[in-house]
Amino acid sequence: MNVIVVPDYEQLSLHAAEAVAAEIRARARTVLGLPTGNTPKGMYRELVRMHQAGELDFSGVVTFNLDEYWGLSPDHPMSFAYYMRTHLVDHVNIPPGQAHWPQSQGDQDAACRAYEEQIRAAGGLDLVVLGIGNNGHIGFNEPGTPFDSRTHVVRLAEETRLANFRGYGFPDLDAVPKFGISMGIATIMSARRVLLLASGREKATAVARTVAGPVTEQVPASILQRHPDATIIVDEEAAFALASREA
Ligand code: F6R
């Protein structure tokens, strides 16, 4: 796993946006798996800036959100679909129909199968960008998720619900859905490249376990040690618990 340590969140956002832009420029059509959350907001801001400055064309970009709350409609302001429109899709020239999020209501098995089929039909994922939970989760793949999992519906860990309540502006904890739908670990690992972003001291333990700990389903992100092209960009605070820091 390639580890890049940058001084702060601003640099992390610029590095991440540059890496995504390079993938987009490298081919006529690029299929991205994308995260929501607080960490990638700066990256999206920079990607939108690049587009508005005429530096980046999204017409050949196809996106798949990593995950979604089960039960929230895509129009719900707390849904990840809404987040993705607000932070990226509404501000760039991704053609209608090329931005995807998992179906989050109705038949769960059908929703999971359909998402895998859409990714397959798009030609597979060129690059997946990930954030990481304090417990090492990626997407909504909580500790204990099998490494061979594909898109599935998951019960969210209470610490994840609590983190999302505190971090994302839900009115109260009861309003945070108890289930999510997420690309599985195997779906993420099937991407040609993976880029994981982590910022802040609270991520330091998860980062150290991901980079240097045993590969275990108890730390979902640790599987990235086995990916042939995985990069993790961390700021100094998130790198705090790493034994050796690279510049
Ligand atoms: C969100 C997602 C989650 C987040 C993780 C970190 O789509 O997949 O795994 O990346 O919970 O969230 P933040 O960035 O808010 O700390």
Side-chain angles (χ1 to χ4, degrees), residues 34-40 66-67 80 130-134 137-141 160 164 168 197 199 202-203:
L34 293 175
T36 59
N38 288 320
T39 311
L66 278 170
D67 47 12
F80 293 166
L130 302 170
I132 184 169
N134 298 354
H137 75 217
I138 46 178
F140 270 145
N141 296 293
T160 298
N164 290 7
Y168 305 157
L197 312 177
S199 169
E202 66 191 21
K203 300 289 171 71

mmCIF file with all atom_site columns, all heavy atoms in Angstrom, residues 34-40 66-67 80 130-134 137-141 160 164 168 197 199 202-203, ligand 1:
data_model
loop_
_atom_site.group_PDB
_atom_site.id
_atom_site.type_symbol
_atom_site.label_atom_id
_atom_site.label_alt_id
_atom_site.label_comp_id
_atom_site.label_asym_id
_atom_site.label_entity_id
_atom_site.label_seq_id
_atom_site.pdbx_PDB_ins_code
_atom_site.Cartn_x
_atom_site.Cartn_y
_atom_site.Cartn_z
_atom_site.occupancy
_atom_site.B_iso_or_equiv
_atom_site.pdbx_formal_charge
_atom_site.auth_seq_id
_atom_site.auth_comp_id
_atom_site.auth_asym_id
_atom_site.auth_atom_id
_atom_site.pdbx_PDB_model_num
ATOM   1   N N   . LEU A 1 34  ? -17.487 6.528  -5.374 1.00 0.00 ? 34  LEU A N   1
ATOM   2   C CA  . LEU A 1 34  ? -17.251 7.758  -4.603 1.00 0.00 ? 34  LEU A CA  1
ATOM   3   C C   . LEU A 1 34  ? -17.894 7.722  -3.215 1.00 0.00 ? 34  LEU A C   1
ATOM   4   O O   . LEU A 1 34  ? -19.006 7.237  -3.040 1.00 0.00 ? 34  LEU A O   1
ATOM   5   C CB  . LEU A 1 34  ? -17.783 8.959  -5.385 1.00 0.00 ? 34  LEU A CB  1
ATOM   6   C CG  . LEU A 1 34  ? -17.043 9.277  -6.686 1.00 0.00 ? 34  LEU A CG  1
ATOM   7   C CD1 . LEU A 1 34  ? -17.732 10.417 -7.423 1.00 0.00 ? 34  LEU A CD1 1
ATOM   8   C CD2 . LEU A 1 34  ? -15.577 9.609  -6.427 1.00 0.00 ? 34  LEU A CD2 1
ATOM   9   N N   . PRO A 1 35  ? -17.182 8.321  -2.253 1.00 0.00 ? 35  PRO A N   1
ATOM   10  C CA  . PRO A 1 35  ? -17.688 8.362  -0.881 1.00 0.00 ? 35  PRO A CA  1
ATOM   11  C C   . PRO A 1 35  ? -18.433 9.654  -0.579 1.00 0.00 ? 35  PRO A C   1
ATOM   12  O O   . PRO A 1 35  ? -18.273 10.661 -1.282 1.00 0.00 ? 35  PRO A O   1
ATOM   13  C CB  . PRO A 1 35  ? -16.400 8.338  -0.058 1.00 0.00 ? 35  PRO A CB  1
ATOM   14  C CG  . PRO A 1 35  ? -15.444 9.151  -0.878 1.00 0.00 ? 35  PRO A CG  1
ATOM   15  C CD  . PRO A 1 35  ? -15.823 8.909  -2.330 1.00 0.00 ? 35  PRO A CD  1
ATOM   16  N N   . THR A 1 36  ? -19.205 9.623  0.478  1.00 0.00 ? 36  THR A N   1
ATOM   17  C CA  . THR A 1 36  ? -19.771 10.846 1.042  1.00 0.00 ? 36  THR A CA  1
ATOM   18  C C   . THR A 1 36  ? -19.024 11.116 2.353  1.00 0.00 ? 36  THR A C   1
ATOM   19  O O   . THR A 1 36  ? -17.922 10.637 2.540  1.00 0.00 ? 36  THR A O   1
ATOM   20  C CB  . THR A 1 36  ? -21.287 10.682 1.258  1.00 0.00 ? 36  THR A CB  1
ATOM   21  O OG1 . THR A 1 36  ? -21.498 9.571  2.138  1.00 0.00 ? 36  THR A OG1 1
ATOM   22  C CG2 . THR A 1 36  ? -21.997 10.443 -0.059 1.00 0.00 ? 36  THR A CG2 1
ATOM   23  N N   . GLY A 1 37  ? -19.603 11.888 3.239  1.00 0.00 ? 37  GLY A N   1
ATOM   24  C CA  . GLY A 1 37  ? -18.955 12.158 4.527  1.00 0.00 ? 37  GLY A CA  1
ATOM   25  C C   . GLY A 1 37  ? -18.222 13.490 4.522  1.00 0.00 ? 37  GLY A C   1
ATOM   26  O O   . GLY A 1 37  ? -18.218 14.213 3.518  1.00 0.00 ? 37  GLY A O   1
ATOM   27  N N   . ASN A 1 38  ? -17.584 13.780 5.637  1.00 0.00 ? 38  ASN A N   1
ATOM   28  C CA  . ASN A 1 38  ? -16.885 15.057 5.775  1.00 0.00 ? 38  ASN A CA  1
ATOM   29  C C   . ASN A 1 38  ? -15.534 15.060 5.063  1.00 0.00 ? 38  ASN A C   1
ATOM   30  O O   . ASN A 1 38  ? -15.129 16.075 4.499  1.00 0.00 ? 38  ASN A O   1
ATOM   31  C CB  . ASN A 1 38  ? -16.699 15.396 7.257  1.00 0.00 ? 38  ASN A CB  1
ATOM   32  C CG  . ASN A 1 38  ? -18.023 15.803 7.887  1.00 0.00 ? 38  ASN A CG  1
ATOM   33  O OD1 . ASN A 1 38  ? -18.815 16.514 7.271  1.00 0.00 ? 38  ASN A OD1 1
ATOM   34  N ND2 . ASN A 1 38  ? -18.289 15.337 9.095  1.00 0.00 ? 38  ASN A ND2 1
ATOM   35  N N   . THR A 1 39  ? -14.843 13.930 5.076  1.00 0.00 ? 39  THR A N   1
ATOM   36  C CA  . THR A 1 39  ? -13.474 13.900 4.543  1.00 0.00 ? 39  THR A CA  1
ATOM   37  C C   . THR A 1 39  ? -13.385 14.331 3.080  1.00 0.00 ? 39  THR A C   1
ATOM   38  O O   . THR A 1 39  ? -12.506 15.134 2.743  1.00 0.00 ? 39  THR A O   1
ATOM   39  C CB  . THR A 1 39  ? -12.866 12.491 4.723  1.00 0.00 ? 39  THR A CB  1
ATOM   40  O OG1 . THR A 1 39  ? -13.083 12.074 6.083  1.00 0.00 ? 39  THR A OG1 1
ATOM   41  C CG2 . THR A 1 39  ? -11.378 12.491 4.405  1.00 0.00 ? 39  THR A CG2 1
ATOM   42  N N   . PRO A 1 40  ? -14.247 13.846 2.184  1.00 0.00 ? 40  PRO A N   1
ATOM   43  C CA  . PRO A 1 40  ? -14.041 14.189 0.773  1.00 0.00 ? 40  PRO A CA  1
ATOM   44  C C   . PRO A 1 40  ? -14.593 15.548 0.343  1.00 0.00 ? 40  PRO A C   1
ATOM   45  O O   . PRO A 1 40  ? -14.463 15.908 -0.835 1.00 0.00 ? 40  PRO A O   1
ATOM   46  C CB  . PRO A 1 40  ? -14.769 13.060 0.031  1.00 0.00 ? 40  PRO A CB  1
ATOM   47  C CG  . PRO A 1 40  ? -15.806 12.574 0.975  1.00 0.00 ? 40  PRO A CG  1
ATOM   48  C CD  . PRO A 1 40  ? -15.307 12.828 2.354  1.00 0.00 ? 40  PRO A CD  1
ATOM   49  N N   . LEU A 1 66  ? -20.613 4.839  -3.023 1.00 0.00 ? 66  LEU A N   1
ATOM   50  C CA  . LEU A 1 66  ? -20.266 3.646  -2.253 1.00 0.00 ? 66  LEU A CA  1
ATOM   51  C C   . LEU A 1 66  ? -21.450 3.069  -1.516 1.00 0.00 ? 66  LEU A C   1
ATOM   52  O O   . LEU A 1 66  ? -21.589 1.855  -1.365 1.00 0.00 ? 66  LEU A O   1
ATOM   53  C CB  . LEU A 1 66  ? -19.231 4.000  -1.185 1.00 0.00 ? 66  LEU A CB  1
ATOM   54  C CG  . LEU A 1 66  ? -17.785 4.069  -1.583 1.00 0.00 ? 66  LEU A CG  1
ATOM   55  C CD1 . LEU A 1 66  ? -16.998 4.666  -0.440 1.00 0.00 ? 66  LEU A CD1 1
ATOM   56  C CD2 . LEU A 1 66  ? -17.291 2.669  -1.910 1.00 0.00 ? 66  LEU A CD2 1
ATOM   57  N N   . ASP A 1 67  ? -22.292 3.968  -1.001 1.00 0.00 ? 67  ASP A N   1
ATOM   58  C CA  . ASP A 1 67  ? -23.310 3.490  -0.069 1.00 0.00 ? 67  ASP A CA  1
ATOM   59  C C   . ASP A 1 67  ? -24.455 4.489  0.042  1.00 0.00 ? 67  ASP A C   1
ATOM   60  O O   . ASP A 1 67  ? -24.400 5.586  -0.518 1.00 0.00 ? 67  ASP A O   1
ATOM   61  C CB  . ASP A 1 67  ? -22.689 3.199  1.310  1.00 0.00 ? 67  ASP A CB  1
ATOM   62  C CG  . ASP A 1 67  ? -21.773 4.311  1.817  1.00 0.00 ? 67  ASP A CG  1
ATOM   63  O OD1 . ASP A 1 67  ? -21.780 5.410  1.236  1.00 0.00 ? 67  ASP A OD1 1
ATOM   64  O OD2 . ASP A 1 67  ? -21.062 4.081  2.804  1.00 0.00 ? 67  ASP A OD2 1
ATOM   65  N N   . PHE A 1 80  ? -27.337 10.159 0.886  1.00 0.00 ? 80  PHE A N   1
ATOM   66  C CA  . PHE A 1 80  ? -26.039 10.316 0.229  1.00 0.00 ? 80  PHE A CA  1
ATOM   67  C C   . PHE A 1 80  ? -26.212 10.736 -1.235 1.00 0.00 ? 80  PHE A C   1
ATOM   68  O O   . PHE A 1 80  ? -25.321 11.355 -1.817 1.00 0.00 ? 80  PHE A O   1
ATOM   69  C CB  . PHE A 1 80  ? -25.232 9.018  0.328  1.00 0.00 ? 80  PHE A CB  1
ATOM   70  C CG  . PHE A 1 80  ? -24.806 8.676  1.737  1.00 0.00 ? 80  PHE A CG  1
ATOM   71  C CD1 . PHE A 1 80  ? -24.335 7.407  2.039  1.00 0.00 ? 80  PHE A CD1 1
ATOM   72  C CD2 . PHE A 1 80  ? -24.854 9.615  2.756  1.00 0.00 ? 80  PHE A CD2 1
ATOM   73  C CE1 . PHE A 1 80  ? -23.915 7.081  3.329  1.00 0.00 ? 80  PHE A CE1 1
ATOM   74  C CE2 . PHE A 1 80  ? -24.443 9.312  4.056  1.00 0.00 ? 80  PHE A CE2 1
ATOM   75  C CZ  . PHE A 1 80  ? -23.979 8.033  4.336  1.00 0.00 ? 80  PHE A CZ  1
ATOM   76  N N   . LEU A 1 130 ? -12.222 6.236  -1.036 1.00 0.00 ? 130 LEU A N   1
ATOM   77  C CA  . LEU A 1 130 ? -12.825 5.831  0.239  1.00 0.00 ? 130 LEU A CA  1
ATOM   78  C C   . LEU A 1 130 ? -12.481 6.815  1.348  1.00 0.00 ? 130 LEU A C   1
ATOM   79  O O   . LEU A 1 130 ? -11.378 7.365  1.372  1.00 0.00 ? 130 LEU A O   1
ATOM   80  C CB  . LEU A 1 130 ? -12.257 4.466  0.676  1.00 0.00 ? 130 LEU A CB  1
ATOM   81  C CG  . LEU A 1 130 ? -12.419 3.268  -0.245 1.00 0.00 ? 130 LEU A CG  1
ATOM   82  C CD1 . LEU A 1 130 ? -11.565 2.112  0.275  1.00 0.00 ? 130 LEU A CD1 1
ATOM   83  C CD2 . LEU A 1 130 ? -13.885 2.861  -0.333 1.00 0.00 ? 130 LEU A CD2 1
ATOM   84  N N   . GLY A 1 131 ? -13.412 6.998  2.271  1.00 0.00 ? 131 GLY A N   1
ATOM   85  C CA  . GLY A 1 131 ? -13.072 7.515  3.585  1.00 0.00 ? 131 GLY A CA  1
ATOM   86  C C   . GLY A 1 131 ? -12.925 6.319  4.511  1.00 0.00 ? 131 GLY A C   1
ATOM   87  O O   . GLY A 1 131 ? -13.035 5.163  4.076  1.00 0.00 ? 131 GLY A O   1
ATOM   88  N N   . ILE A 1 132 ? -12.697 6.557  5.774  1.00 0.00 ? 132 ILE A N   1
ATOM   89  C CA  . ILE A 1 132 ? -12.574 5.443  6.718  1.00 0.00 ? 132 ILE A CA  1
ATOM   90  C C   . ILE A 1 132 ? -13.255 5.816  8.028  1.00 0.00 ? 132 ILE A C   1
ATOM   91  O O   . ILE A 1 132 ? -13.152 6.969  8.491  1.00 0.00 ? 132 ILE A O   1
ATOM   92  C CB  . ILE A 1 132 ? -11.089 5.067  6.937  1.00 0.00 ? 132 ILE A CB  1
ATOM   93  C CG1 . ILE A 1 132 ? -10.952 3.835  7.847  1.00 0.00 ? 132 ILE A CG1 1
ATOM   94  C CG2 . ILE A 1 132 ? -10.273 6.250  7.487  1.00 0.00 ? 132 ILE A CG2 1
ATOM   95  C CD1 . ILE A 1 132 ? -9.537  3.260  7.885  1.00 0.00 ? 132 ILE A CD1 1
ATOM   96  N N   . GLY A 1 133 ? -13.975 4.872  8.590  1.00 0.00 ? 133 GLY A N   1
ATOM   97  C CA  . GLY A 1 133 ? -14.588 5.099  9.900  1.00 0.00 ? 133 GLY A CA  1
ATOM   98  C C   . GLY A 1 133 ? -13.559 4.922  11.015 1.00 0.00 ? 133 GLY A C   1
ATOM   99  O O   . GLY A 1 133 ? -12.518 4.295  10.815 1.00 0.00 ? 133 GLY A O   1
ATOM   100 N N   . ASN A 1 134 ? -13.872 5.446  12.198 1.00 0.00 ? 134 ASN A N   1
ATOM   101 C CA  . ASN A 1 134 ? -12.963 5.273  13.338 1.00 0.00 ? 134 ASN A CA  1
ATOM   102 C C   . ASN A 1 134 ? -12.757 3.800  13.661 1.00 0.00 ? 134 ASN A C   1
ATOM   103 O O   . ASN A 1 134 ? -11.741 3.416  14.233 1.00 0.00 ? 134 ASN A O   1
ATOM   104 C CB  . ASN A 1 134 ? -13.521 5.971  14.581 1.00 0.00 ? 134 ASN A CB  1
ATOM   105 C CG  . ASN A 1 134 ? -13.662 7.459  14.373 1.00 0.00 ? 134 ASN A CG  1
ATOM   106 O OD1 . ASN A 1 134 ? -13.243 7.993  13.341 1.00 0.00 ? 134 ASN A OD1 1
ATOM   107 N ND2 . ASN A 1 134 ? -14.243 8.143  15.349 1.00 0.00 ? 134 ASN A ND2 1
ATOM   108 N N   . HIS A 1 137 ? -14.172 0.985  9.217  1.00 0.00 ? 137 HIS A N   1
ATOM   109 C CA  . HIS A 1 137 ? -15.119 0.630  8.156  1.00 0.00 ? 137 HIS A CA  1
ATOM   110 C C   . HIS A 1 137 ? -14.811 1.392  6.866  1.00 0.00 ? 137 HIS A C   1
ATOM   111 O O   . HIS A 1 137 ? -14.245 2.484  6.891  1.00 0.00 ? 137 HIS A O   1
ATOM   112 C CB  . HIS A 1 137 ? -16.585 0.814  8.599  1.00 0.00 ? 137 HIS A CB  1
ATOM   113 C CG  . HIS A 1 137 ? -17.087 2.213  8.674  1.00 0.00 ? 137 HIS A CG  1
ATOM   114 N ND1 . HIS A 1 137 ? -17.970 2.639  9.652  1.00 0.00 ? 137 HIS A ND1 1
ATOM   115 C CD2 . HIS A 1 137 ? -16.877 3.313  7.896  1.00 0.00 ? 137 HIS A CD2 1
ATOM   116 C CE1 . HIS A 1 137 ? -18.261 3.907  9.454  1.00 0.00 ? 137 HIS A CE1 1
ATOM   117 N NE2 . HIS A 1 137 ? -17.613 4.342  8.402  1.00 0.00 ? 137 HIS A NE2 1
ATOM   118 N N   . ILE A 1 138 ? -15.167 0.752  5.758  1.00 0.00 ? 138 ILE A N   1
ATOM   119 C CA  . ILE A 1 138 ? -15.097 1.404  4.447  1.00 0.00 ? 138 ILE A CA  1
ATOM   120 C C   . ILE A 1 138 ? -16.456 1.206  3.784  1.00 0.00 ? 138 ILE A C   1
ATOM   121 O O   . ILE A 1 138 ? -17.019 0.126  3.846  1.00 0.00 ? 138 ILE A O   1
ATOM   122 C CB  . ILE A 1 138 ? -13.941 0.856  3.557  1.00 0.00 ? 138 ILE A CB  1
ATOM   123 C CG1 . ILE A 1 138 ? -13.887 -0.669 3.555  1.00 0.00 ? 138 ILE A CG1 1
ATOM   124 C CG2 . ILE A 1 138 ? -12.619 1.464  3.992  1.00 0.00 ? 138 ILE A CG2 1
ATOM   125 C CD1 . ILE A 1 138 ? -12.797 -1.258 2.646  1.00 0.00 ? 138 ILE A CD1 1
ATOM   126 N N   . GLY A 1 139 ? -16.964 2.250  3.128  1.00 0.00 ? 139 GLY A N   1
ATOM   127 C CA  . GLY A 1 139 ? -18.375 2.218  2.773  1.00 0.00 ? 139 GLY A CA  1
ATOM   128 C C   . GLY A 1 139 ? -19.135 2.010  4.072  1.00 0.00 ? 139 GLY A C   1
ATOM   129 O O   . GLY A 1 139 ? -18.770 2.548  5.125  1.00 0.00 ? 139 GLY A O   1
ATOM   130 N N   . PHE A 1 140 ? -20.178 1.210  4.038  1.00 0.00 ? 140 PHE A N   1
ATOM   131 C CA  . PHE A 1 140 ? -20.872 0.840  5.272  1.00 0.00 ? 140 PHE A CA  1
ATOM   132 C C   . PHE A 1 140 ? -20.466 -0.577 5.688  1.00 0.00 ? 140 PHE A C   1
ATOM   133 O O   . PHE A 1 140 ? -21.217 -1.282 6.358  1.00 0.00 ? 140 PHE A O   1
ATOM   134 C CB  . PHE A 1 140 ? -22.388 0.900  5.084  1.00 0.00 ? 140 PHE A CB  1
ATOM   135 C CG  . PHE A 1 140 ? -23.003 2.239  5.408  1.00 0.00 ? 140 PHE A CG  1
ATOM   136 C CD1 . PHE A 1 140 ? -24.095 2.696  4.677  1.00 0.00 ? 140 PHE A CD1 1
ATOM   137 C CD2 . PHE A 1 140 ? -22.535 3.028  6.447  1.00 0.00 ? 140 PHE A CD2 1
ATOM   138 C CE1 . PHE A 1 140 ? -24.697 3.920  4.964  1.00 0.00 ? 140 PHE A CE1 1
ATOM   139 C CE2 . PHE A 1 140 ? -23.124 4.249  6.747  1.00 0.00 ? 140 PHE A CE2 1
ATOM   140 C CZ  . PHE A 1 140 ? -24.208 4.702  6.000  1.00 0.00 ? 140 PHE A CZ  1
ATOM   141 N N   . ASN A 1 141 ? -19.289 -1.001 5.272  1.00 0.00 ? 141 ASN A N   1
ATOM   142 C CA  . ASN A 1 141 ? -18.814 -2.335 5.646  1.00 0.00 ? 141 ASN A CA  1
ATOM   143 C C   . ASN A 1 141 ? -18.185 -2.261 7.030  1.00 0.00 ? 141 ASN A C   1
ATOM   144 O O   . ASN A 1 141 ? -17.032 -1.857 7.191  1.00 0.00 ? 141 ASN A O   1
ATOM   145 C CB  . ASN A 1 141 ? -17.803 -2.844 4.616  1.00 0.00 ? 141 ASN A CB  1
ATOM   146 C CG  . ASN A 1 141 ? -18.443 -3.033 3.259  1.00 0.00 ? 141 ASN A CG  1
ATOM   147 O OD1 . ASN A 1 141 ? -19.297 -3.898 3.084  1.00 0.00 ? 141 ASN A OD1 1
ATOM   148 N ND2 . ASN A 1 141 ? -18.074 -2.194 2.303  1.00 0.00 ? 141 ASN A ND2 1
ATOM   149 N N   . THR A 1 160 ? -21.153 4.039  14.463 1.00 0.00 ? 160 THR A N   1
ATOM   150 C CA  . THR A 1 160 ? -21.288 4.712  13.165 1.00 0.00 ? 160 THR A CA  1
ATOM   151 C C   . THR A 1 160 ? -22.511 5.620  13.182 1.00 0.00 ? 160 THR A C   1
ATOM   152 O O   . THR A 1 160 ? -22.463 6.769  12.719 1.00 0.00 ? 160 THR A O   1
ATOM   153 C CB  . THR A 1 160 ? -21.407 3.661  12.038 1.00 0.00 ? 160 THR A CB  1
ATOM   154 O OG1 . THR A 1 160 ? -20.204 2.889  12.021 1.00 0.00 ? 160 THR A OG1 1
ATOM   155 C CG2 . THR A 1 160 ? -21.628 4.316  10.682 1.00 0.00 ? 160 THR A CG2 1
ATOM   156 N N   . ASN A 1 164 ? -22.326 9.601  12.767 1.00 0.00 ? 164 ASN A N   1
ATOM   157 C CA  . ASN A 1 164 ? -23.075 10.274 11.707 1.00 0.00 ? 164 ASN A CA  1
ATOM   158 C C   . ASN A 1 164 ? -24.065 11.288 12.284 1.00 0.00 ? 164 ASN A C   1
ATOM   159 O O   . ASN A 1 164 ? -24.294 12.350 11.685 1.00 0.00 ? 164 ASN A O   1
ATOM   160 C CB  . ASN A 1 164 ? -23.795 9.249  10.819 1.00 0.00 ? 164 ASN A CB  1
ATOM   161 C CG  . ASN A 1 164 ? -22.808 8.459  9.973  1.00 0.00 ? 164 ASN A CG  1
ATOM   162 O OD1 . ASN A 1 164 ? -21.597 8.578  10.144 1.00 0.00 ? 164 ASN A OD1 1
ATOM   163 N ND2 . ASN A 1 164 ? -23.314 7.652  9.071  1.00 0.00 ? 164 ASN A ND2 1
ATOM   164 N N   . TYR A 1 168 ? -23.053 14.850 10.828 1.00 0.00 ? 168 TYR A N   1
ATOM   165 C CA  . TYR A 1 168 ? -23.768 15.176 9.591  1.00 0.00 ? 168 TYR A CA  1
ATOM   166 C C   . TYR A 1 168 ? -25.057 15.948 9.791  1.00 0.00 ? 168 TYR A C   1
ATOM   167 O O   . TYR A 1 168 ? -25.822 16.130 8.844  1.00 0.00 ? 168 TYR A O   1
ATOM   168 C CB  . TYR A 1 168 ? -24.077 13.902 8.781  1.00 0.00 ? 168 TYR A CB  1
ATOM   169 C CG  . TYR A 1 168 ? -22.875 13.033 8.461  1.00 0.00 ? 168 TYR A CG  1
ATOM   170 C CD1 . TYR A 1 168 ? -23.042 11.692 8.175  1.00 0.00 ? 168 TYR A CD1 1
ATOM   171 C CD2 . TYR A 1 168 ? -21.579 13.548 8.439  1.00 0.00 ? 168 TYR A CD2 1
ATOM   172 C CE1 . TYR A 1 168 ? -21.957 10.881 7.875  1.00 0.00 ? 168 TYR A CE1 1
ATOM   173 C CE2 . TYR A 1 168 ? -20.490 12.748 8.145  1.00 0.00 ? 168 TYR A CE2 1
ATOM   174 C CZ  . TYR A 1 168 ? -20.685 11.417 7.863  1.00 0.00 ? 168 TYR A CZ  1
ATOM   175 O OH  . TYR A 1 168 ? -19.623 10.613 7.578  1.00 0.00 ? 168 TYR A OH  1
ATOM   176 N N   . LEU A 1 197 ? -8.781  8.143  1.923  1.00 0.00 ? 197 LEU A N   1
ATOM   177 C CA  . LEU A 1 197 ? -8.454  9.445  2.515  1.00 0.00 ? 197 LEU A CA  1
ATOM   178 C C   . LEU A 1 197 ? -8.766  9.422  4.004  1.00 0.00 ? 197 LEU A C   1
ATOM   179 O O   . LEU A 1 197 ? -9.829  8.943  4.405  1.00 0.00 ? 197 LEU A O   1
ATOM   180 C CB  . LEU A 1 197 ? -9.289  10.553 1.860  1.00 0.00 ? 197 LEU A CB  1
ATOM   181 C CG  . LEU A 1 197 ? -9.351  10.569 0.330  1.00 0.00 ? 197 LEU A CG  1
ATOM   182 C CD1 . LEU A 1 197 ? -10.281 11.688 -0.136 1.00 0.00 ? 197 LEU A CD1 1
ATOM   183 C CD2 . LEU A 1 197 ? -7.963  10.731 -0.259 1.00 0.00 ? 197 LEU A CD2 1
ATOM   184 N N   . SER A 1 199 ? -8.337  12.012 7.576  1.00 0.00 ? 199 SER A N   1
ATOM   185 C CA  . SER A 1 199 ? -7.914  13.297 8.136  1.00 0.00 ? 199 SER A CA  1
ATOM   186 C C   . SER A 1 199 ? -8.293  13.364 9.618  1.00 0.00 ? 199 SER A C   1
ATOM   187 O O   . SER A 1 199 ? -9.405  12.987 9.994  1.00 0.00 ? 199 SER A O   1
ATOM   188 C CB  . SER A 1 199 ? -8.607  14.426 7.363  1.00 0.00 ? 199 SER A CB  1
ATOM   189 O OG  . SER A 1 199 ? -8.426  15.660 8.012  1.00 0.00 ? 199 SER A OG  1
ATOM   190 N N   . GLU A 1 202 ? -8.649  11.604 15.233 1.00 0.00 ? 202 GLU A N   1
ATOM   191 C CA  . GLU A 1 202 ? -9.575  10.515 15.588 1.00 0.00 ? 202 GLU A CA  1
ATOM   192 C C   . GLU A 1 202 ? -9.476  9.333  14.614 1.00 0.00 ? 202 GLU A C   1
ATOM   193 O O   . GLU A 1 202 ? -9.933  8.236  14.935 1.00 0.00 ? 202 GLU A O   1
ATOM   194 C CB  . GLU A 1 202 ? -11.012 11.044 15.642 1.00 0.00 ? 202 GLU A CB  1
ATOM   195 C CG  . GLU A 1 202 ? -11.533 11.478 14.297 1.00 0.00 ? 202 GLU A CG  1
ATOM   196 C CD  . GLU A 1 202 ? -12.836 12.250 14.394 1.00 0.00 ? 202 GLU A CD  1
ATOM   197 O OE1 . GLU A 1 202 ? -13.122 12.789 15.468 1.00 0.00 ? 202 GLU A OE1 1
ATOM   198 O OE2 . GLU A 1 202 ? -13.547 12.300 13.382 1.00 0.00 ? 202 GLU A OE2 1
ATOM   199 N N   . LYS A 1 203 ? -8.864  9.531  13.451 1.00 0.00 ? 203 LYS A N   1
ATOM   200 C CA  . LYS A 1 203 ? -8.702  8.430  12.481 1.00 0.00 ? 203 LYS A CA  1
ATOM   201 C C   . LYS A 1 203 ? -7.365  7.719  12.630 1.00 0.00 ? 203 LYS A C   1
ATOM   202 O O   . LYS A 1 203 ? -7.100  6.733  11.938 1.00 0.00 ? 203 LYS A O   1
ATOM   203 C CB  . LYS A 1 203 ? -8.835  8.965  11.043 1.00 0.00 ? 203 LYS A CB  1
ATOM   204 C CG  . LYS A 1 203 ? -10.162 9.630  10.716 1.00 0.00 ? 203 LYS A CG  1
ATOM   205 C CD  . LYS A 1 203 ? -11.278 8.611  10.636 1.00 0.00 ? 203 LYS A CD  1
ATOM   206 C CE  . LYS A 1 203 ? -12.653 9.247  10.519 1.00 0.00 ? 203 LYS A CE  1
ATOM   207 N NZ  . LYS A 1 203 ? -12.910 9.884  9.238  1.00 0.00 ? 203 LYS A NZ  1
HETATM 208 C C1  . F6R B 2 .   ? -19.543 7.342  3.290  1.00 0.00 ? 1   F6R B C1  1
HETATM 209 C C2  . F6R B 2 .   ? -18.703 6.201  3.636  1.00 0.00 ? 1   F6R B C2  1
HETATM 210 C C3  . F6R B 2 .   ? -18.120 6.087  5.007  1.00 0.00 ? 1   F6R B C3  1
HETATM 211 C C4  . F6R B 2 .   ? -17.263 7.295  5.363  1.00 0.00 ? 1   F6R B C4  1
HETATM 212 C C5  . F6R B 2 .   ? -16.656 7.157  6.751  1.00 0.00 ? 1   F6R B C5  1
HETATM 213 C C6  . F6R B 2 .   ? -15.869 8.382  7.153  1.00 0.00 ? 1   F6R B C6  1
HETATM 214 O O1  . F6R B 2 .   ? -19.993 7.222  1.968  1.00 0.00 ? 1   F6R B O1  1
HETATM 215 O O2  . F6R B 2 .   ? -18.514 5.360  2.825  1.00 0.00 ? 1   F6R B O2  1
HETATM 216 O O3  . F6R B 2 .   ? -17.357 4.910  5.085  1.00 0.00 ? 1   F6R B O3  1
HETATM 217 O O4  . F6R B 2 .   ? -16.250 7.430  4.414  1.00 0.00 ? 1   F6R B O4  1
HETATM 218 O O5  . F6R B 2 .   ? -17.665 6.939  7.699  1.00 0.00 ? 1   F6R B O5  1
HETATM 219 O O6  . F6R B 2 .   ? -16.715 9.483  7.237  1.00 0.00 ? 1   F6R B O6  1
HETATM 220 P P1  . F6R B 2 .   ? -16.146 10.959 7.442  1.00 0.00 ? 1   F6R B P1  1
HETATM 221 O O7  . F6R B 2 .   ? -15.397 11.306 6.200  1.00 0.00 ? 1   F6R B O7  1
HETATM 222 O O8  . F6R B 2 .   ? -17.360 11.822 7.618  1.00 0.00 ? 1   F6R B O8  1
HETATM 223 O O9  . F6R B 2 .   ? -15.263 10.907 8.637  1.00 0.00 ? 1   F6R B O9  1
#
